[in-house]
Amino acid sequence: MIICTCNSMSSKCFLLLQYVSLISVILFQLEPRVANSNNIISCLDEEKESLLAFKQGLIDESGILSSWGREDEKRNCCKWRGVRCSNKTGHVLGLDLRASSDSPVDALKGTINPSLLKLQHLTYLDLSWNNFSGSPIPEFIGSLGKLSELALSSAQFAGPIPHQLGNLSKLQVLDLRFNNLFSSGNLDWLSYLSSLRYLDLADCKLSKFSNWVQVLSNLRSLTNLYLGYCDLPPISTPSLLHINYSKSLEVIDLSNNYLTNSIYPWLLNVSSNLVDHIDLGSNQLHGSIPLAFGHMASLRHLDLLSNQLREVPKFLGNMSSLKRLVFSYNELRGEISEFIQNVSTGSTKNSSLEWLYLASNEITGTIPDLGGFPSLQILSLESNGLTGTISKSIGQLFKLELLLLSGNLLRGVISEALFSNLSSLDTLDLSDNSLTLKFSHDWTPPFKLFNIFLGSCKIGPRFPKWLQSQNQTVALDISNTGISDIVPGWFWDLTYQLYYLNLSNNEMKGKLPDLSRKFDSYGPGIDVSANQFDGPIPLLPPNVSSLNLSKNKFSGSISFLCSISSHLLTYLDLSNNLQSGRLPDCWFQFDSLAILNLANNSFFGEIPDSMSFLRNIGSLSLYNNSLTGGLPSFFMNGSQLTLMDLGKNGLSGEIPTWIGESLPNLVVLSLRSNKFHGNIPFQLCYLSHIQILDLSLNNISGIIPKCFHNFTAMTKEKSSNLSIISNYYYNLGLRGMLMPLIFFDTWKGGQYEYKSILGLIKIIDLSSNKLGGKVLEEIMDLVGLVALNLSNNNLTGQITPRIGQLKSLDFLDLSRNHFFGGIPSSLSRLRLLSVMDLSYNNFSGKIPKGTQLQRFGASTYAGNPELCGLPLPNKCLDEESAPSPSRDDAYYTPDDDGDQFITLGFYMSMILGFFVGFWGVCGTLLVKSSWRHGYYNFLTRVKDWLYVEAVVNIAKLQRRVRN
């Protein structure tokens, strides 16, 4: 109680009483809101309404925000999911609505309501891994002045990074990684975030962020920097001058940018004894690593993946804290033993090194003793040039988890003794070597492998029983291992969690069981191609993402496809089997399908309408079936098509104009051996990327369109960078598997599988049609052509000398037409030509001389009665009218090249003159040394030329003598 006793103090007392009364009223009003009778903190009504307004703008399909509401039991927003309140005031301090990265269906969608601005005490906001569908980051977030942590990673935001974020002066953590964000200019606003400790802008496109070095130098508290995949431009050396570098950085990730060696000075200045992790992978570094890296005493992780580095310095052996070394995909050269020595010398001998990644370099030699790395967990040496056997010291690396040795030249026999101590091993990759695995039949490994890659190792003929103990495997590749056994029943029980299975290129027999419940992983990939499995194809996992059953003996229909209900299927290859029936009409459920190969079966009937839903199809092969009807117009929806092979069917009608108009990306088009008629539409000339055009064995008439020179890809002699073959990439995390679609084409009379060389193959085949008219000059502009087949048509006219421009030509067939006139001598300049057929035309005159044309057999020129000269038996008139040489005048007989003045006397005079001239200057040369050296070089060249000419012409004279 306050009592005022002095009149002079009455006014002051009155003011004091007012103040006390006001405080009491405020406390009276606040008390119910802060805590109830049970002292449970409750949120403020205004902030609760703000959160509910925020919820209204979201789409919550999974009920993530089901605890948010106005009902009595939901009155306290401090108990709502993701809401964190102050224990004293009840103010909302944090909002954590991060979705699970493993379950995208649980992500929130919609928009962010500005009602969040009423949460003026908010210090923490995390909306990562939600789906905001390409909307921009709201600018009003920059007005949440008390924010210390802002995490919006992988939330599918798009657009420019708002500069208003620079108003968040208390921000310590900024995480915007893996969105579709970019900088509209510089990022000077970052300089105002003086408290920032953690900055992650990975995958934000910052190519215009030219002053990034200067901006980052102002962030004096920064400890973690992540700017990977940002398209950062190289540092210019002048920009490094007069900058006060931060010395607090512990983690530096600048991977996947365009940085050059100019990054080193900045990096070495900002780095201190605190730096723990440096990642410069996938940049443009070259040469050797600077010595200054060796002074980073606390560096534990150095990642220089995918650069052009050629040398590993010896100082790495003195970095006592180094645990993880990633040098894969560089140009490192030399012996593996030398590299290991450089890393293991000094204080790191018997070191704590845990990761050693050296994959995809140019390292050679045999694997040395690795006993100096007892802590090694990952050993990655794949795709080098290593030889010899696998070092026994690997078997003593007790902590080894990943052993990756694929793609080398390793040989020898591996027994279970190598693995007896490797109980921690979870990934084994020995594929693509010349290794033989000999394990006892009852061997039980000490490990449980997650990933097994043994492709092209020798394992068979029996199916490996030791796999029965590997019940945790998620990826298995035992392709091309010589197994000629029936797959045991127990094996299919192990496939429950497999997401990749490859049994291809063996001689496995039997029937496949019902696989619909065997694979329970998300989007498994299955490849059992090139075996001897038979019978009908069983039910398959409904969520399969890739399926290759080609080159087996499967029979029956493929109606099982309709049981695959998911939209994950991307790759489907059922080619080269014994399947028959009509194609199923359920293709609408395969809207993700990119590769479809049903070639070499016995399907019949028309192509079903539901194939119009294959909008993402890139490669389509229905080659060698019995399909009929016209070419469905719905294929014009397949704008992604690069390969369309419908050859060897019974398709009919005219070639549609929409092929050229609606399929601009076609690289391979084969309609061979069908019943198409009519003209070649000029719209095909819109196919500027086309490299294989095969319309042979049809009833096509008319003339060849003059616009063929618009086939731009064929006008280039070098390999195209277009991908003809469609590759399905199945990501296994540690190892990517490429499963290429194989394109079958008849060339040189046989069936070829074009794989990696397809970029070099450029073919036009219009043979066996009813085409007329002349061979156009425009075709001679296609200088990249490797094969040109115009045989069995009604073409006429003379062959232009410009045919000599086709310097890449390996195959030329003009047979069975009505060409006339002489054979152009320019043909003899086609040095790569290995197959040629000009038979059954009306060519006349002498076959041009030259080794290139004479080495073909007489059948090449058969059916041209007016042709003469080698290799035909009938000689030309000028040859027959020449006098037969006698024994006396043999040396005076002219040859067929017009060298009639060259005689034995000529050679005698020439040699005599040479010696006279030579010794006539010898005196001078002996006196003056500079002349001597000059004349010596000159005369050496003259001597070589004369020698060659003499040998050639003497051989001609000797040939006449024999005749």
Side-chain angles (χ1 to χ4, degrees), residues 328-587:
S328 297
Y329 297 95
N330 275 282
E331 299 173 3
L332 300 178
R333 301 176 181 179
E335 295 278 328
I336 181 67
S337 56
E338 181 181 356
F339 181 91
I340 295 298
Q341 183 179 4
N342 288 350
V343 176
S344 63
T345 55
S347 59
T348 59
K349 194 161 187 177
N350 299 320
S351 72
S352 57
L353 192 69
E354 297 175 354
W355 292 11
L356 182 58
Y357 277 97
L358 297 175
S360 296
N361 281 286
E362 300 173 28
I363 300 173
T364 57
T366 58
I367 300 176
D369 187 348
L370 297 173
F373 304 101
S375 301
L376 206 61
Q377 299 172 6
I378 297 176
L379 178 61
S380 171
L381 302 176
E382 67 266 37
S383 299
N384 279 287
L386 302 179
T387 55
T389 58
I390 295 180
S391 172
K392 293 181 180 179
S393 64
I394 290 179
Q396 303 304 314
L397 302 176
F398 305 111
K399 297 182 180 180
L400 197 64
E401 298 175 7
L402 272 68
L403 178 58
L404 310 174
L405 301 176
S406 65
N408 282 286
L409 303 172
L410 299 172
R411 53 180 174 76
V413 177
I414 298 176
S415 67
E416 59 260 36
L418 181 69
F419 303 105
S420 59
N421 295 317
L422 302 184
S423 58
S424 299
L425 197 67
D426 64 43
T427 294
L428 176 64
D429 188 354
L430 304 177
S431 56
D432 299 320
N433 283 287
S434 298
L435 297 169
T436 299
L437 275 60
K438 277 195 175 181
F439 304 146
S440 57
H441 187 62
D442 56 351
W443 178 58
T444 301
F447 45 66
K448 297 288 186 180
L449 296 176
F450 293 117
N451 301 287
I452 304 174
F453 302 108
L454 301 174
S456 298
C457 292
K458 176 64 176 175
I459 295 178
R462 300 179 64 181
F463 197 91
K465 187 180 179 183
W466 63 270
L467 289 177
Q468 190 169 4
S469 65
Q470 303 305 298
N471 54 10
Q472 297 181 16
T473 303
V474 296
L476 174 63
D477 180 358
I478 51 174
S479 62
N480 191 31
T481 52
I483 299 174
S484 57
D485 197 1
I486 296 176
V487 180
W490 56 257
F491 172 76
W492 300 109
D493 295 331
L494 298 176
T495 61
Y496 181 76
Q497 55 193 6
L498 279 180
Y499 63 82
Y500 179 71
L501 172 64
N502 191 348
L503 305 179
S504 66
N505 291 285
N506 285 288
E507 296 182 13
M508 298 182 188
K509 308 177 183 69
K511 294 176 171 58
L512 295 183
D514 183 349
L515 300 179
S516 59
R517 297 185 179 180
K518 297 295 185 183
F519 294 80
D520 196 46
S521 58
Y522 182 78
I526 303 172
D527 186 351
V528 298
S529 62
N531 278 286
Q532 296 182 24
F533 293 115
D534 57 16
I537 295 176
L539 291 177
L540 294 164
N543 62 339
V544 64
S545 64
S546 70
L547 180 64
N548 191 346
L549 306 181
S550 64
K551 298 181 183 178
N552 279 284
K553 299 178 181 178
F554 292 116
S555 57
S557 72
I558 57 171
S559 57
F560 69 89
L561 287 176
C562 297
S563 65
I564 301 177
S565 56
S566 77
H567 294 267
L568 299 176
L569 190 64
T570 307
Y571 177 100
L572 177 61
D573 190 346
L574 306 179
S575 63
N576 295 277
N577 278 289
L578 305 174
Q579 292 159 332
S580 58
R582 295 181 180 272
L583 296 180
D585 198 11
C586 54
W587 299 98

Side-chain angles (χ1 to χ4, degrees), residues 66 143 151 181 184 221 248 290 378 434 437 439 442 552 696 715 717:
S66 58
S143 299
L181 302 172
S184 57
S221 302
S248 59
I378 297 176
S434 298
L437 275 60
F439 304 146
D442 56 351
N552 279 284
S696 62
T715 62
E717 292 185 46

Side-chain angles (χ1 to χ4, degrees), residues 128-144:
S128 301
W129 293 98
N130 288 293
N131 183 0
F132 293 102
S133 305
S135 61
I137 294 177
E139 296 177 355
F140 69 78
I141 290 180
S143 299
L144 298 172

Side-chain angles (χ1 to χ4, degrees), residues 262 320 333 648 844 870:
S262 62
S320 57
R333 301 176 181 179
K648 208 169 183 183
S844 60
L870 293 176

Side-chain angles (χ1 to χ4, degrees), residues 23-89:
I23 294 298
S24 300
V25 170
I26 292 174
L27 290 175
F28 178 79
Q29 293 294 326
L30 286 178
E31 182 66 23
R33 299 188 182 188
V34 175
N36 58 21
S37 58
N38 296 323
N39 288 324
I40 298 176
I41 300 299
S42 179
C43 66
L44 305 180
D45 288 341
E46 183 181 16
E47 294 186 352
K48 180 173 69 175
E49 292 302 318
S50 171
L51 290 173
L52 290 175
F54 169 67
K55 177 185 176 181
Q56 274 191 323
L58 299 175
I59 301 173
D60 182 14
E61 296 174 345
S62 301
I64 303 299
L65 305 181
S66 58
S67 61
W68 294 29
R70 292 189 174 87
E71 298 85 350
D72 289 343
E73 66 274 14
K74 300 177 182 178
R75 181 177 302 172
N76 188 359
C77 67
C78 292
K79 289 187 175 182
W80 292 353
R81 178 173 177 173
V83 178
R84 180 166 60 87
C85 295
S86 167
N87 291 331
K88 295 181 179 180
T89 66

Side-chain angles (χ1 to χ4, degrees), residues 617-631:
I617 195 73
S619 297
L620 173 67
S621 180
L622 303 177
Y623 177 80
N624 193 20
N625 282 284
S626 300
L627 300 172
T628 56
L631 199 57

